[in-house]
Amino acid sequence: MHEKSIELLNKAVADELYAIHQYMYFHFHCDDQGYDLLAGLFIKTAIEEMGHVEKCAERILFLKGDVEMKPASEVKKIHDVKEMLKLAAKMEFESAKDYNVWANECSKNADSATKQIFESLVTDEERHFDQYDTETENLEKFGQNYLALQSIERSKGRQARPQAE
Ligand SMILES: [Fe+2]
Ligand SMILES: [Fe+2]
C-alpha cells in the first residue's frame, strides 16, 4: 500500500546501519588513542542511530514490508581525528537533508506517520551535526592541546583508581 514509504524507510535503515558501523570504528580508534571525550561521543551517537533503525524497522513491518539490513556503505578506515569529525558531520548533514526530502515525499503520498518519523530523525541528525561541528571547532581552536588534554584526563583517572590486586 505504501510501497514508496517502505523503500524510503529501508534507505534510511541502510544509512543508519552505515553510520553505526562508521561511528563504532571511530569509537574504537579514539578509545585506543586515549581520546575519551570523542570516543564517548561516537559510541553515544551510534547507540542513538540504533534507535533510529528500530523506529524505521517498526514502521516497515507495520506497513507489511521487510527490513533490508544492508549498510549503505563500507566503513572508511580513517584514523585522523579531524578527518573523522569532518566525515561524521558530513554524514549527519546529508542525512538531515535526505530525511527532510523524504518527509515531504511521504506527505505527498498521504503517509503522515512515516512523515513524522522522518521529521523526528531530522531533529536528531541536526543535533548530531551540531555536536560534531562543535568538536571540529574545538579541535581547530585548540589544536593538539585539545587532544592532549583528553589523554591527560584519562591518565589522571587511571592514577586515581585504586590498584587491582
Ligand atoms: Fe540517525
Ligand atoms: Fe545521526
Side-chain angles (χ1 to χ4, degrees):
M1 174 178 61
H2 278 303
E3 288 303 318
K4 189 66 196 173
S5 294
I6 293 167
E7 184 196 320
L8 293 174
L9 286 161
N10 263 316
K11 273 170 85 173
V13 166
D15 286 343
E16 298 289 343
L17 288 175
Y18 165 54
I20 294 165
H21 289 188
Q22 190 68 65
Y23 296 165
M24 285 309 289
Y25 181 84
F26 289 162
H27 163 76
F28 302 143
H29 280 276
C30 286
D31 186 57
D32 185 53
Q33 294 177 61
Y35 306 145
D36 286 350
L37 186 145
L38 288 174
L41 180 63
F42 281 124
I43 197 170
K44 197 177 123 260
T45 313
I47 292 167
E48 283 192 36
E49 310 300 12
M50 218 159 89
H52 292 171
V53 173
E54 192 180 14
K55 264 192 193 175
C56 293
E58 280 171 2
R59 182 68 186 157
I60 291 169
L61 294 186
F62 178 83
L63 295 174
K64 306 282 183 227
D66 201 7
V67 193
E68 309 291 336
M69 293 294 282
K70 286 194 206 106
S73 175
E74 291 278 315
V75 165
K76 291 173 186 65
K77 297 190 168 160
I78 296 170
H79 299 166
D80 177 74
V81 170
K82 195 175 170 189
E83 292 302 315
M84 289 182 192
L85 288 169
K86 211 166 104 184
L87 176 63
K90 184 170 165 268
M91 285 163 64
E92 296 295 345
F93 181 83
E94 281 171 4
S95 288
K97 199 172 69 179
D98 286 343
Y99 295 159
N100 261 313
V101 172
W102 299 349
N104 287 338
E105 213 165 322
C106 290
S107 172
K108 268 185 250 148
N109 299 332
D111 178 5
S112 71
T114 308
K115 171 183 173 264
Q116 279 170 31
I117 289 172
F118 283 131
E119 282 173 345
S120 78
L121 297 192
V122 170
T123 311
D124 286 350
E125 312 308 8
E126 285 187 348
R127 178 169 46 79
H128 294 166
F129 170 82
D130 194 46
Q131 286 169 344
Y132 291 138
D133 196 45
T134 303
E135 295 312 320
T136 304
E137 278 174 18
N138 285 340
L139 183 57
E140 275 167 6
K141 224 188 305 172
F142 305 115
Q144 283 305 313
N145 292 341
Y146 165 82
L147 294 173
L149 209 64
Q150 293 189 34
S151 298
I152 291 167
E153 281 302 313
R154 172 186 280 198
S155 301
K156 279 201 294 200
R158 283 216 171 119
Q159 280 163 19
R161 235 178 281 153
Q163 292 284 312
E165 286 298 312

